[in-house]
Amino acid sequence: MPAQSTAEVFTGDTRIVNLTVGGMTCASCVGRVERKLKKIGVDPSVNLPLETARVVAPASVTDQQLIETIEKAGYTASLKQDAVEQVDEAEQGSLTPRLWVAAVFTLPVFLISMFATFQFPHWGWVAAFLTLPVATWAALPFHRPAWTNLRHGSFTMDTLISLGVIASYAFSLWQLAMDPAMTAHAGHGASAGGHGMDHMLYFDAAAMITLFLLAGRQIEHRTARRSSQALRALLNLGAKSATVLQGGREVQIPVKDLLPGDLFLVRPGEKIAVDGEVVEGRSAVDASLLTGESLPVEVGVGDAVVGATVNTSGSLTVRATRVGSDTVLAQMSRTVAEAQSTKAPIARLADRVSAVFVPVVIALALATLVGWLLVTGDVNAAFTAAVSVLVIACPCALGLATPTALLAGTSRGSQLGILIRSAQVLESTKHLTTVVLDKTGTVTTGALALAEVIPLAGFGGQDAARLLALAGAAESRSEHPIARAITQAAQADAHLLGQALPQVTDFASAPGGGVRATLHEEVSAGESREVSVLVGQPSFLVSEGVELSETHTRALLTEQEAGRTTVVLAIGGQPAALLALHDTPKAGASEALAELRALGLTPVLLTGDAEPVARAVAAEVGIAPADVYAGVSPSDKLATITRLQEGGAGVAMVGDGVNDAAALAQADVGVAMGSGTDVAMEAADMTIVRSDLSSLPTAIRLSRATLRLIKSNLFWAFAYNTVAIPVAAAGLLNPMIAAAAMAFSSVFVVLNSTRLFRFS
């Protein structure tokens, strides 16, 4: 099955369209594209280094309208077909020859313009000739978008660069034409120090500006490519082919052609092609490339396996359950790509500034020119200061500050098995004060095992095997960890007795409460009877009209105080048995919660389980009794999160089940464990792929580190422009130095972001 295009994702009455946008060079371009798109009633988020736009659009707005709107703004646009786009190879390739031409021609221009030693008769005309290809062809990546935007009445970073290059070259050529004998003699105007600077020619400035900025843009492209390598590597993790079993024969086919239900063979050392279920064999599976988990996991018949993980030892036969865009790997890639396409609220500040920045800089450059002419009358000094202002003020560092940090942070997260769904999450983490954790499957292993079936008074004469069979059949349609544990125990017991579980004819589930089912129980050969069964929390049974006696309640409390999770089985409206299960905290849970406290966060346990059981688990992992909320339903979980938020707490909710989905969505940051349900992961802002609680503090630290880096980048970008413009206007910067400084500011921001790749 071919991978689904990521161009469109439907969400209710709106759809998300992912586009590739070409021709953007700075934050002003980003702002222009977003403003034009908003005018047609869509919500866009444009990413500069990835050259993408993520658009939330109503069904009434077509893809063609989106593309035409962007093209009318002066840029190119097309539907994005892959989970992650490669850096524009054509553009990066086109920069390389331009950079070489600029370097080869600029060096002699610089030498003969700056040093009398290299000057010869009429060297000015030679400098003009050598600079021409640099100021025109090599500088075309700046001139072309500047002209395109000018036609649409807007100004961008390229406008400033293009004006600086053209003004430097045109002014120099005009000076030379007015005084052809200006450089008629070798060393004309040479100062006593041997520097030929006493002239009004700026060919070297035009050439050096182009050279420095081309070099800076080339470095930006290379670094942006490196920043998305983690996501590209994620996409390349999957197997390329699979050995499918067809009619007893082994057939090699491309992974994209696998269908759900296909059986395929995985030999030792091979990657598992797609998500599936083991139907034969036993082995250890290494998921380190996908989850960061170093230890292989033992799998056998009935266990789920994930595509792109590596079979290390035995041979496995696997039935495909998820293929193409539905696999865990594809979903991870999509999540990371979407996160990199979103925009943190802090980035809006840079967008607002850059929208008015370029016109203001042009006005400042003109004011600088006029001011110097009025005050000093020195045309040379006035021109130098004005061009320096134009060149050094380019706001490209502002446009790169946020997206490059986000790109690096989300990519590093994917390497560590942490998926961040949006940039908004990063800012939310700084306000967190409380981490609310579901118990089963989050703090505990979730690998519940049935400890005992305890018949209740009135059903004491019943066979425990029959009671277990009825409970197991009723729970077989539920996905809750308690239900799975009861069903597995019932199936194992029935298998030993050579029997089958009763057939389920009617089933309903109350998330966080229990299940009700109608079963057909075989009483003799060819005869069966209908049995009404309830399994769940005491509160659920009471809501269904089942009353527990004082004796029943005491028996229940005894099991709970022993730290056992206990549910009640009712048959025909009467309490029949207690089903006691035991669970253990996850390895490293105590250490992970200690780390959260060290980060200034308060761990809170929130569970539908009984209070004695919850307190026993909390005591094991170091959660204070006052921070335990037990016996809560899914709606109570939601209400608890809301109450904490109303009390001023910034709340992160960590869970893995359907019954956690509402609370995950309500929390300031929802964190789903990778072993949980699709509903939980869809509702969450962040997913811990390997379901290891120790990854939670790592995820919080990574989010905070990324946010700090964004703030650091923005600070340096703003500080650079704040300091540089007055210095340039004061005539203290040569245009060449200004160009080098501007290029360095962009490169610095990009390289600063790559520090996140060393985060551990």
Side-chain angles (χ1 to χ4, degrees):
M1 180 183 290
Q4 180 183 350
S5 166
T6 60
E8 290 189 6
V9 179
F10 286 86
T11 57
D13 295 331
T14 62
R15 60 200 179 96
I16 297 173
V17 183
N18 292 303
L19 302 166
T20 300
V21 182
M24 298 187 299
T25 55
C26 67
S28 297
C29 299
V30 171
R32 176 172 173 76
V33 172
E34 289 187 344
R35 286 194 301 275
K36 292 294 184 182
L37 286 172
K38 285 177 181 176
K39 286 182 179 178
I40 63 171
V42 301
D43 182 17
S45 178
V46 179
N47 186 295
L48 175 61
L50 287 181
E51 296 187 329
T52 61
R54 184 176 185 270
V55 183
V56 181
S60 58
V61 178
T62 65
D63 295 344
Q64 192 57 37
Q65 281 179 277
L66 296 173
I67 291 171
E68 287 176 357
T69 300
I70 294 173
E71 289 177 343
K72 286 177 182 177
Y75 306 92
T76 61
S78 61
L79 288 176
K80 183 178 172 187
Q81 296 299 324
D82 299 311
V84 60
E85 291 286 325
Q86 301 287 339
V87 172
D88 190 343
E89 299 289 350
E91 182 175 351
Q92 186 171 352
S94 70
L95 288 179
T96 303
R98 295 180 198 276
L99 184 60
W100 275 108
V101 167
V104 168
F105 284 91
T106 297
L107 180 60
V109 171
F110 175 74
L111 291 175
I112 62 178
S113 298
M114 294 289 288
F115 301 101
T117 306
F118 296 99
Q119 291 173 358
F120 47 84
H122 299 293
W123 61 266
W125 293 102
V126 174
F129 176 77
L130 292 174
T131 305
L132 185 61
V134 179
T136 53
W137 184 77
L140 200 59
F142 308 114
H143 297 319
R144 188 188 289 122
W147 171 244
T148 300
N149 282 288
L150 190 61
R151 283 189 298 136
H152 291 88
S154 68
F155 303 96
T156 67
M157 176 197 79
D158 294 299
T159 308
L160 302 181
I161 297 172
S162 183
L163 277 175
V165 172
I166 292 172
S168 298
Y169 189 84
F171 179 79
S172 302
L173 195 61
W174 179 75
Q175 287 288 327
L176 199 58
M178 290 297 97
D179 184 8
M182 178 183 290
T183 58
H185 303 286
H188 173 78
S191 66
H195 297 282
M197 294 288 290
D198 192 17
H199 56 77
M200 298 176 67
L201 301 183
Y202 292 94
F203 296 119
D204 53 337
M208 293 295 283
I209 289 170
T210 304
L211 176 62
F212 282 139
L213 297 182
L214 280 176
R217 189 164 290 185
Q218 181 83 331
I219 293 171
E220 288 169 22
H221 277 298
R222 289 182 181 278
T223 310
R225 180 172 175 80
R226 182 193 165 194
S227 295
S228 59
Q229 274 179 348
L231 182 52
R232 195 176 296 107
L234 193 61
L235 288 169
N236 292 332
L237 282 179
K240 301 300 183 286
S241 62
T243 305
V244 178
L245 301 176
Q246 295 179 346
R249 295 184 304 113
E250 296 180 10
V251 181
Q252 199 83 4
I253 66 169
V255 167
K256 64 183 179 64
D257 294 335
L258 272 174
L259 297 173
D262 283 350
L263 293 177
F264 60 93
L265 185 66
V266 188
R267 295 184 174 87
E270 291 183 341
K271 289 182 180 178
I272 296 172
V274 294
D275 300 355
E277 180 183 341
V278 177
V279 296
E280 185 179 326
R282 188 164 193 83
S283 182
V285 172
D286 179 4
S288 59
L289 290 175
L290 203 61
T291 67
E293 177 59 64
S294 57
L295 296 176
V297 178
E298 291 288 335
V299 296
V301 175
D303 289 332
V305 290
V306 178
T309 54
V310 179
N311 178 24
T312 62
S313 50
S315 181
L316 297 173
T317 302
V318 179
R319 178 183 290 109
T321 55
R322 292 182 178 185
V323 300
S325 61
D326 294 328
T327 63
V328 169
L329 178 64
Q331 290 170 354
M332 284 177 64
S333 302
R334 198 155 50 240
T335 298
V336 177
E338 287 175 0
Q340 294 177 346
S341 298
T342 61
K343 184 169 290 188
I346 194 172
R348 305 291 178 185
L349 175 62
D351 291 347
R352 288 194 295 270
V353 170
S354 63
V356 297
F357 191 78
V358 175
V360 169
V361 168
I362 293 174
L364 285 173
L366 289 173
T368 300
L369 179 67
V370 173
W372 273 87
L373 288 174
L374 291 176
V375 174
T376 67
D378 187 339
V379 176
N380 189 25
F383 180 80
T384 299
V387 171
S388 295
V389 169
L390 280 176
V391 174
I392 202 164
C394 296
C396 48
L398 281 176
L400 294 167
T402 298
T404 52
L406 181 62
L407 192 65
T410 51
S411 295
R412 182 57 181 150
S414 70
Q415 292 174 330
L416 296 171
I418 300 163
L419 301 184
I420 300 170
R421 290 180 69 92
S422 73
Q424 174 72 51
V425 180
L426 301 174
E427 288 207 50
S428 299
T429 56
K430 73 176 180 181
H431 301 298
L432 294 181
T433 59
T434 305
V435 178
V436 178
L437 303 114
D438 177 51
K439 182 179 75 68
T440 306
T442 302
V443 174
T444 63
T445 61
L448 290 165
L450 184 69
E452 191 177 0
V453 178
I454 306 162
L456 293 174
F459 278 80
Q462 291 290 329
D463 181 6
R466 176 186 176 247
L467 296 173
L468 178 58
L470 292 174
E475 294 278 29
S476 63
R477 300 280 182 91
S478 175
E479 59 170 14
H480 195 279
I482 291 176
R484 287 199 298 267
I486 293 172
T487 301
Q488 287 170 2
Q491 289 172 336
D493 198 48
H495 180 71
L496 288 174
L497 296 173
Q499 299 172 350
L501 294 181
Q503 183 181 358
V504 183
T505 58
D506 188 32
F507 174 84
S509 172
V515 300
R516 73 176 70 87
T518 301
L519 312 177
H520 277 275
E521 182 184 27
E522 187 174 335
V523 292
S524 62
E527 287 189 40
S528 64
R529 64 185 172 197
E530 192 174 86
V531 183
S532 176
V533 172
L534 296 168
V535 187
Q537 302 287 347
S539 57
F540 169 70
L541 268 68
V542 170
S543 70
E544 294 290 320
V546 178
E547 295 295 331
L548 297 179
S549 69
E550 188 177 340
T551 304
H552 298 155
T553 304
R554 277 200 307 271
L556 178 66
L557 189 58
T558 299
E559 294 302 316
Q560 290 175 343
E561 287 176 343
R564 290 175 168 181
T565 298
T566 308
V567 294
V568 184
L569 165 69
I571 301 174
Q574 296 298 315
L578 299 179
L579 301 161
L581 304 97
H582 59 81
D583 192 5
T584 56
K586 287 184 174 179
S590 299
E591 292 80 2
L593 298 186
E595 283 190 64
L596 289 177
R597 282 191 290 272
L599 289 170
L601 304 171
T602 302
V604 170
L605 190 66
L606 185 66
T607 177
D609 220 331
E611 188 163 335
V613 177
R615 288 185 180 277
V617 172
E620 282 192 71
V621 297
I623 295 177
D627 295 323
V628 175
Y629 295 83
V632 292
S633 65
S635 59
D636 289 335
K637 287 184 177 182
L638 177 60
T640 302
I641 298 293
T642 304
R643 278 199 307 274
L644 289 169
Q645 290 172 324
E646 289 173 348
V651 180
M653 169 68 193
V654 189
D656 69 339
V658 172
N659 59 337
D660 299 319
L664 287 168
Q666 173 63 32
D668 298 290
V669 176
V671 183
M673 305 304 281
S675 60
T677 63
D678 291 343
V679 176
M681 284 186 272
E682 195 62 34
D685 303 301
M686 192 183 292
T687 300
I688 306 297
V689 177
R690 65 186 188 188
S691 298
D692 182 355
L693 204 57
S694 64
S695 294
L696 181 58
T698 302
I700 300 294
R701 286 199 304 269
L702 175 62
S703 296
R704 290 180 175 180
T706 305
L707 183 61
R708 282 197 303 272
L709 194 66
I710 289 174
K711 289 181 176 180
S712 167
N713 280 349
L714 287 174
F715 169 78
W716 286 112
F718 279 121
Y720 161 79
N721 282 302
T722 302
V723 173
I725 293 176
V727 172
L732 301 177
L733 282 179
N734 182 280
M736 290 182 291
I737 305 300
M742 197 283 284
F744 174 76
S745 71
S746 299
V747 173
F748 172 79
V749 162
V750 175
L751 293 178
N752 191 40
S753 297
T754 62
R755 291 191 298 122
L756 281 175
F757 288 108
R758 298 192 295 273
F759 178 89
S760 62

